[in-house]
């Protein structure tokens, strides 16, 4: 639904469309009502005319800069914008000095730092005294997880608000506003309009940039014509940042949850984003050991085979081998019994790490060792009647502990039965017990 032109005030057609359509109030910002509505945390601050320093964390094109500018306007604070990409400590000193001077005459300052995660730790520390004493209200914007990119001292003085990627309804609202400003409907059929929203991938700024290209088309187009006219937005994926770890985590959890379809989806997202397939191959090999183990002993072989095939074939052919392994692992029975067993054994080893093996299982290659009793009483299990002697292999003084507790999933069911049988043999009375 189109909105009245008065929302946007005077217009300068030479400016980019994204700037011409920049909201004039927080009520006009789309897609972020969870924090900006009157009952939202930022909405309540504005109503009380009392802002706290904050970090706006969200994807590109979700409105971080606009929100910061409007916060300054609606709370009567001077707006000081900086970009961490182009600014240093000298620029910060100038801002802090100016903010102090304003404060002396009763004027507050909102310092907006775009891409604040690009400041190093020392630069971030320079904010602390000025945020602490209220010289500035800091509003930082970042696309990266603040927990990883900002130091703890700064985070403790700021509230973090998570902004959402724009959903289809919010993007459709932006299209309506653009059509209202441009004076007519875009030359798109219904399918192409939906395709335009999908191509924006939640980025409002990118959507408006595409609209500027679409508006100039001489005649209405379908999705194929739209794809020929504008460039699809590259997937939001940074192989060295949080998106990288979020997607591999999603793939890992989908396989763990035995959902091959979701696992294939996240694999495709990573490959489409330019992830190194060998990184994926390494991670699924780890998954085979950690989350499947002996529930399916072939799982790790499938993962290693996919790794080997990819190294031999490369992309795109080798990616199919990784997909095959992902589906195999997702559909395999799961067990973390070995993972837990090793963790328990490691804890025990740390407390009993100086104890030697029992003498009867030590080799005796010298006469002295034989005299000391090395190897005395050792039974060679394959030569016993049951192929199992039941001897103790723990250090003397360490109580026998079941570190490995197999599940009833997959091949571990057979292992469980075998271990129970061996325990019964271990518990049976010896000839000395019967006398």
């Amino acid at each position: 639904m189109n909105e009245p032109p008065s929302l946007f005030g005077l217009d300068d057609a030479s400016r980019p469309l994204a700037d011409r359509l920049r909201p004039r109030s927080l009520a006009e910002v789309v897609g972020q009502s969870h924090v900006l509505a009157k009952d939202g945390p930022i909405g309540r601050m504005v109503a009380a005319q009392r802002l706290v320093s904050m970090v706006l964390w969200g994807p590109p094109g979700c409105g971080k800069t606009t929100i910061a500018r409007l916060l300054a306007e609606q709370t009567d604070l001077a707006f000081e914008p900086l970009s961490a990409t182009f600014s240093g400590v000298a620029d910060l000193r100038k801002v802090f000095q100016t903010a102090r001077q304003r404060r002396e005459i009763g004027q507050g300052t909102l310092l907006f730092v775009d891409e604040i995660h690009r400041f190093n730790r020392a630069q971030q520390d320079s904010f602390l005294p000025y945020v602490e004493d209220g010289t500035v209200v800091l509003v930082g914007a970042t696309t990266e997880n603040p927990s990883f990119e900002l130091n703890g001292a700064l985070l403790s003085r700021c509230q973090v608000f998570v902004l959402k990627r724009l959903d289809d309804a919010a993007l459709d609202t932006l299209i309506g506003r653009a059509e209202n400003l441009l004076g007519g409907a875009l030359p798109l059929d219904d399918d192409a309009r939906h395709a335009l929203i999908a191509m924006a991938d939640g980025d409002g700024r990118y959507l408006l940039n595409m609209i500027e290209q679409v508006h100039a088309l001489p005649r209405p187009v379908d999705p194929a014509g739209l794809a020929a006219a504008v460039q699809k937005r590259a997937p939001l994926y940074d192989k060295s940042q949080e998106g990288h770890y979020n997607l591999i985590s999603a793939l890992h959890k989908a396989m763990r949850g035995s959902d091959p379809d979701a696992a294939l989806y996240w694999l495709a997202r990573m490959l489409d984003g330019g992830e190194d397939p060998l990184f994926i191959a390494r991670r699924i090999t780890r998954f085979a050991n950690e989350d499947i183990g002996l529930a399916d002993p072939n799982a790790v072989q499938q993962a290693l085979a996919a790794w080997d095939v990819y190294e031999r074939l490369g992309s795109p052919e080798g990616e199919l081998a990784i997909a095959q392994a992902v589906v195999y692992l997702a559909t395999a029975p799961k067990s973390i019994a070995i993972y837990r067993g090793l963790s328990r054994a490691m804890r025990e080893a740390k407390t009993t790490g100086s104890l030697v093996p029992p003498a009867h299982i030590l080799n005796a290659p010298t006469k002295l060792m034989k005299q000391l009793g090395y190897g005395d009483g050792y039974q060679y299990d394959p030569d016993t009647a049951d192929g199992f002697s039941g001897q103790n292999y723990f250090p003397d003084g360490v109580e026998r502990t079941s570190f490995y507790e197999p599940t009833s999933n997959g091949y571990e069911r057979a292992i469980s039965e075998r271990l129970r049988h061996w325990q019964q043999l271990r518990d049976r009375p010896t000839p000395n017990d019967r006398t």
Side-chain angles (χ1 to χ4, degrees):
M1 180 176 179
N2 290 346
E3 300 189 24
S6 59
L7 277 177
F8 310 111
L10 296 175
D11 183 47
D12 177 2
S14 66
R15 289 156 48 212
L17 183 61
D19 190 50
R20 294 162 67 190
L21 283 177
R22 194 178 294 277
R24 299 294 185 88
S25 71
L26 290 173
E28 294 176 24
V29 177
V30 298
Q32 311 302 340
S33 60
H34 63 292
V35 292
L36 299 181
K38 291 182 179 180
D39 59 349
I42 295 179
R44 291 195 298 270
M45 291 183 203
V46 173
Q49 292 291 289
R50 189 173 183 82
L51 294 183
V52 300
S53 292
M54 65 185 74
V55 175
L56 303 177
W57 173 26
C62 69
K64 297 184 290 295
T65 302
T66 295
I67 290 172
R69 188 180 298 275
L70 291 173
L71 286 175
E73 290 179 5
Q74 295 188 211
T75 56
D76 197 27
L77 297 175
F79 185 69
E80 286 279 3
L82 284 179
S83 171
T85 305
F86 303 110
S87 305
V89 173
D91 301 291
L92 290 172
R93 287 199 188 103
K94 292 177 183 177
V95 171
F96 295 143
Q97 182 179 359
T98 303
R100 277 180 168 167
Q101 293 170 349
R102 288 197 192 99
R103 192 179 187 189
E104 291 174 358
I105 60 172
Q107 172 73 55
T109 301
L110 187 149
L111 171 58
F112 173 66
V113 182
D114 195 18
E115 298 188 277
I116 192 171
H117 60 276
R118 295 189 183 275
F119 274 142
N120 62 35
R121 301 286 171 169
Q123 290 170 319
Q124 291 179 30
D125 285 342
S126 68
F127 291 109
L128 299 178
Y130 303 99
V131 171
E132 187 77 34
D133 68 8
T135 299
V136 297
V137 173
L138 173 65
V139 177
T142 180
T143 57
E144 305 300 333
N145 190 330
S147 301
F148 302 142
E149 304 298 333
L150 302 184
N151 67 37
L154 184 58
L155 276 178
S156 71
R157 290 163 173 81
C158 299
Q159 289 193 32
V160 176
F161 296 108
V162 180
L163 303 185
K164 300 176 181 178
R165 69 187 293 278
L166 301 188
D167 60 19
D168 289 357
L171 294 172
D172 193 54
T173 297
L174 292 182
I175 293 176
R177 290 181 181 178
E179 289 175 327
N180 188 54
L181 183 66
L182 296 171
L186 295 176
L188 303 171
D189 64 21
D190 288 342
D191 290 339
R193 189 184 184 94
H194 291 307
L196 181 69
I197 291 174
M199 292 170 73
D201 195 22
D203 186 330
R205 185 188 304 110
Y206 193 80
L207 173 71
L208 295 175
N209 290 341
M210 287 194 295
I211 288 175
E212 286 191 289
Q213 301 176 60
V214 170
H215 177 63
L217 295 176
R219 64 183 63 85
V221 296
D222 59 11
L226 174 66
V230 299
Q231 180 66 43
K232 179 185 176 183
R233 181 182 184 277
L236 181 60
Y237 187 75
D238 188 334
K239 291 186 286 183
S240 65
Q241 301 295 340
E242 193 199 14
H244 162 81
Y245 297 105
N246 284 346
L247 265 62
I248 192 63
S249 176
L251 172 61
H252 196 124
K253 290 180 173 63
M255 291 191 297
R256 180 185 292 155
S258 301
D259 190 335
D261 301 309
L264 282 174
Y265 170 78
W266 293 116
L267 172 65
R269 281 280 300 274
M270 296 181 77
L271 293 173
D272 187 49
E275 182 57 76
D276 181 2
L278 288 175
F279 167 77
I280 303 173
R282 290 192 296 271
R283 289 301 294 258
I284 65 174
T285 302
R286 171 194 169 187
F287 175 90
N289 283 297
E290 184 175 309
D291 285 84
I292 297 174
L294 287 176
D296 185 346
N298 288 323
V300 68
Q301 299 302 323
Q302 288 285 329
L304 288 171
W307 190 341
D308 185 48
V309 168
Y310 183 82
E311 286 190 323
R312 292 171 183 267
L313 296 183
S315 291
E317 294 87 352
E319 293 168 6
L320 187 60
I322 296 177
Q324 176 177 314
V326 163
V327 171
Y328 187 97
L329 300 181
T331 54
K334 308 297 188 298
S335 170
I336 59 170
I338 293 178
Y339 178 85
R340 285 177 173 165
L342 178 60
S343 297
R344 294 175 184 135
M346 290 293 290
R347 288 194 296 271
E348 180 70 18
K350 289 181 186 301
T351 61
T352 60
S354 61
L355 298 179
V356 298
H360 70 275
I361 66 171
L362 296 177
N363 291 329
T366 69
K367 183 177 180 180
L368 175 61
M369 289 179 172
K370 291 179 181 178
Q371 291 174 346
L372 293 174
Y374 283 24
D376 280 356
Y378 175 68
Q379 299 179 57
Y380 187 64
D381 287 72
D383 285 343
T384 63
D386 297 294
F388 178 80
S389 67
Q391 294 176 103
N392 175 53
Y393 299 99
F394 279 89
D396 293 335
V398 174
E399 185 178 353
R400 176 175 183 78
T401 304
S402 295
F403 298 125
Y404 173 55
E405 298 177 351
T407 68
S408 59
N409 301 332
Y411 182 68
E412 281 196 327
R413 183 187 298 273
I415 295 176
S416 296
E417 294 173 358
R418 193 176 306 142
L419 290 178
R420 280 194 294 270
H421 172 66
W422 286 336
Q423 186 59 46
Q424 289 171 357
L425 294 178
R426 190 180 284 115
D427 293 339
R428 66 186 174 184
T430 64
N432 292 334
D433 293 332
R434 297 190 188 99
T435 59

